[in-house]
Amino acid sequence: MTENVRVRFAPSPTGHLHIGGARTALFNWLYARHCGGTFVLRIEDTDTTRSTEEYIEAIIEGMKWLDLSWEEGPFRQTDRFDVYRGYVRNLVQQGKAYYCYCSAEELEARRQEAMAQGRPVMYDGRCRDLAEPVPGRTPSVRFRMPREGRTVVHDLIHGVVEFDNAQLDDLIILRSDNTPTYNFTVVVDDVDMKITHVIRGDDHLNNTPKQIQLYKALGYEIPKFAHLPMILGADKTRLSKRHGATSVMAYYEMGYLADALINYLVRLGWSFGDQEVFTREELIGHFSFENVGKAASVFNPEKLLWLNGQYIMKSDPAKLAELVVPFLLREGIVGEGQQVDMSWLAKAVVTLQERAKTLVELASSLRYFFHDPAAYDDKAKAKFLNEKSLPVLTELRDGLTALDDYTHDSIEKVFTSVVEKNGIKLGAIAQPVRVALTGGTVSPGIFEVMEIIGKETALRRIEKALLAIG
Ligand code: GLU
């Protein structure tokens, strides 16, 4: 790689890290990793009325959970106000920006008028060439946009997109309260931070010609742009809370694996043949903008759930055991401070990872590995814990009690001998045992469960079931 690639993720901390933001962060991260470049995290907190510390922390928490690491930052734009003001002064001195004395009320009145007359809402340029300041007014600073010609955006995803300069507003770069505005700070920072590729949502494509004009005015090289297609809800409107959870950490709470969410997010816009499941190494290796489409993609929670199930199924049981512990705590299955034998837990996890779609499901189905059933499912009890099962269950208990080596195979032998002696089907004994051990009729292989919970626990639960039959 000849070029020293530098990219950035520049969230505004006016909310949690959401699905769209995380996808933008991911594509930046992937491109940086693919090129051996640098990933910068920059917090765009210039809107001090809507930005909060809590959201900054939440964004960082989301990035860390997704394991999207950055080399530089987090920088904060509020730490750099003096830098932006310096750049504004330079532009004013060079006549590339000017003071505007129009008040907010005047601008609003003109805006209303333009709308009423069906004209585009744009600044009319009346302060562009003022000879003297207007007394008693604190000015804002506007950028002197070229009025003729066109600005061409060469976008790595959208190709060539042209804009008529006549339609670009003389945008405010410094408000009358001395705070700089987004389109200006973003350019100054991308210049100062030597960003080579600006990768962001295509809702910013319309800002790009204005920013290109600012680069030109400041005399800096224009970076490459890649505007990512939007993410929509099932009704084809922009993804929002109406469509369900959009915050990344909500997916953590619901028991999603970070790798599964990453894999799902990357496919919102990027593809690589028909492949659906990728390791991070594969993603880093294959990532390119050529495979990013222009069309918006639809967020499909069912597909994400399916993918999560695939990841759980294929995960290393020891790793899954680690990941499920917080959920066991949350469900009250494990107490605070309780020591859990992690290699034992990994064995229990193996029996369930084929079926669990989330860590929440996995945790709750692990309950009977830790606790005797608090109650039996009514139907299951009526059907399987009754007079008919009493003798075979008793026989099984005796057989198990006599076992010296209590293993999967020896347990199976006890079952086989009860089955053969009584001329019954395996289900006629396995189901009552399952209800006795787990409280219900659905569980992994019963011999596995029995081996993992241990002889003492299994016998205690069978004994309890026998008592319940009466
Ligand atoms: N702060 C902007 C946003 O959150 C970032 C825009 C950009 O990446 O240039 O939308």
Side-chain angles (χ1 to χ4, degrees), residues 344 369 372 396-408 410-411 414 433 437 446-464:
W344 172 81
F369 284 97
D372 292 1
L396 185 90
R397 177 202 58 194
D398 296 341
L400 290 171
T401 311
L403 275 184
D404 286 334
D405 66 325
Y406 178 86
T407 61
H408 179 286
S410 65
I411 297 165
V414 177
V433 172
L437 299 182
I446 199 68
F447 311 137
E448 275 97 352
V449 173
M450 290 178 82
E451 185 178 29
I452 294 165
I453 61 176
K455 183 173 175 181
E456 200 186 309
T457 301
L459 282 172
R460 182 180 65 242
R461 292 186 191 176
I462 293 171
E463 207 66 64
K464 278 189 188 170

Side-chain angles (χ1 to χ4, degrees), residues 424-446:
I424 54 172
K425 288 208 174 104
L426 180 62
I429 181 65
Q431 281 303 71
V433 172
R434 186 168 269 128
V435 180
L437 299 182
T438 70
T441 52
V442 186
S443 84
I446 199 68

Side-chain angles (χ1 to χ4, degrees), residues 8 10-12 42 44 182 186 190 198-200 203-204 211:
R8 84 307 194 270
S12 304
R42 181 171 80 222
E44 302 209 321
Y182 159 69
V186 79
D190 287 342
V198 170
I199 306 165
R200 59 187 171 195
D203 49 337
H204 284 290
Q211 294 174 11

Side-chain angles (χ1 to χ4, degrees), residues 170-219:
D170 275 4
L171 57 104
I172 293 179
I173 56 176
L174 192 71
R175 299 184 190 91
S176 56
D177 66 2
N178 212 20
T179 58
T181 57
Y182 159 69
N183 276 300
F184 189 65
T185 56
V186 79
V187 169
V188 169
D189 282 348
D190 287 342
V191 165
D192 272 7
M193 297 171 191
K194 301 189 167 50
I195 299 302
T196 57
H197 294 72
V198 170
I199 306 165
R200 59 187 171 195
D202 65 12
D203 49 337
H204 284 290
L205 190 54
N206 284 335
N207 286 323
T208 309
K210 302 177 207 166
Q211 294 174 11
I212 287 178
Q213 289 302 334
L214 285 165
Y215 280 101
K216 286 187 175 166
L218 292 164

Side-chain angles (χ1 to χ4, degrees), residues 327-335 338 360 362-371:
F327 294 91
L328 291 171
L329 278 163
R330 198 170 80 181
E331 302 276 311
I333 293 168
V334 164
Q338 181 182 333
V360 173
L362 181 62
S364 69
S365 49
L366 279 165
R367 180 176 290 277
Y368 53 77
F369 284 97
F370 289 88
H371 300 285

Side-chain angles (χ1 to χ4, degrees), residues 4 74 79 133 154 185 196 248 264 268 312 354 391 412:
N4 179 19
D79 291 337
H154 296 273
T185 56
T196 57
V248 162
Y264 182 70
L268 294 176
I312 289 186
E354 292 265 331
E412 186 170 2

